[in-house]
Amino acid sequence: MVIVGLTGSIGMGKSTAAKMLREMGVPVYDADAAVHALQAPGGAALPGIEAAFPGVVKAGVLDRQALGARVFGNKEALRRLEAIVHPLVGQRQRAFLRRAALAGEKLVVLDIPLLFEGLGERRVDATLVVSAPSFLQRRRVLARPGMTVEKFEGILRQQVPDALKRRKASIVIPTGMGLAPTRAALGKAVAELRDLRGQFWPPNPWREKFTARLARARRK
């Protein structure tokens, strides 16, 4: 099974690309959706989050704004949050891959916003990076409800720059020219990726452990 990582900086059109891939019949794991599920009422991450950040879970519901205020711009707090959430997200990701393998899938995509930041490229056979001109990225992001220039720039500082993502990518998917060109580029990429032979399924526990250790060291 070929495992492909899909990523891109904020506002570059990753969610749109993931939707198009699903429409092409490619199973896509959504890391953001997994995080939201883990932090939803009854989610597995809530007890650990409340223990680490007392007062952010009220009546079984996570106050995302309060949590964001505690971790935004605070690297130590962000690392504590990641230590709670990331292992749980990893469990869901492995379950997704197992289901896909049992179903006989030949190609799957992991939609991971911080793929390169967490050394996720070491766990996939190829990477797709969605990219658009910076002026268009800025326009898209600042049009989102509640977004400010300060918040946008803070998010960018936490992400690998778009230029470096494009250099690291196996394939770059341009998203600044409209939906049809994006869909065409994805279709071409899927055709190419189906010809690969996967090297990361089944997983190697020693390689997984070493990569996770490297990722933690990078975030310090």
Side-chain angles (χ1 to χ4, degrees):
M1 184 169 70
V2 176
I3 303 174
V4 177
L6 170 67
T7 194
S9 298
I10 184 172
M12 290 300 195
K14 184 174 58 59
S15 296
T16 298
K19 180 181 177 183
M20 290 179 177
L21 288 166
R22 290 189 182 95
E23 291 169 352
M24 295 175 190
V26 180
V28 178
Y29 168 81
D30 186 336
D32 270 350
V35 171
H36 280 286
L38 289 165
Q39 295 179 350
L46 290 188
I49 291 175
E50 174 60 18
F53 305 96
V56 300
V57 178
K58 302 168 184 175
V61 177
L62 176 65
D63 184 336
R64 296 180 186 277
Q65 188 171 355
L67 178 62
R70 300 277 283 274
V71 302
F72 186 73
N74 186 330
K75 287 187 176 181
E76 191 277 332
L78 183 60
R79 282 198 297 270
R80 275 190 287 143
L81 179 61
E82 289 174 343
I84 297 164
V85 176
H86 284 186
L88 297 171
V89 173
Q91 290 174 12
R92 290 189 169 222
Q93 179 180 298
R94 287 189 291 275
F96 164 85
L97 292 172
R98 282 195 297 271
R99 289 194 301 270
L102 288 171
E105 298 290 349
K106 300 301 182 185
L107 175 70
V108 296
V109 169
L110 304 180
D111 174 355
I112 303 177
L114 300 180
L115 181 75
F116 293 121
E117 290 81 354
L119 297 180
E121 73 273 22
R122 293 170 176 257
R123 301 185 179 96
V124 297
D125 298 294
T127 56
L128 293 176
V129 168
V130 292
S131 182
S134 58
F135 76 89
L136 184 56
Q137 175 195 27
R138 186 179 185 87
R139 183 190 305 166
R140 289 171 175 171
V141 176
L142 292 181
R144 297 180 180 182
M147 183 58 67
T148 65
V149 172
E150 180 185 16
K151 187 174 180 181
F152 172 48
E153 292 177 349
I155 291 170
L156 288 181
R157 284 194 294 271
Q158 295 174 15
Q159 297 183 339
V160 169
D162 176 61
L164 181 54
K165 282 189 173 82
R166 286 189 274 111
R167 287 200 296 272
K168 286 173 167 282
S170 304
I171 302 174
V172 176
I173 304 297
T175 64
M177 298 179 289
L179 296 178
T182 299
R183 187 176 287 106
L186 284 169
K188 182 180 178 182
V190 167
E192 293 178 8
L193 293 168
R194 288 191 189 280
D195 289 334
L196 296 181
R197 180 176 178 82
Q199 303 295 321
F200 290 87
W201 187 264
N204 181 321
W206 295 105
R207 181 170 56 198
E208 290 277 309
K209 188 176 295 186
F210 177 69
T211 302
R213 189 175 301 160
L214 281 178
R216 286 195 297 272
R218 171 181 280 192
R219 289 194 292 270
K220 288 183 179 178

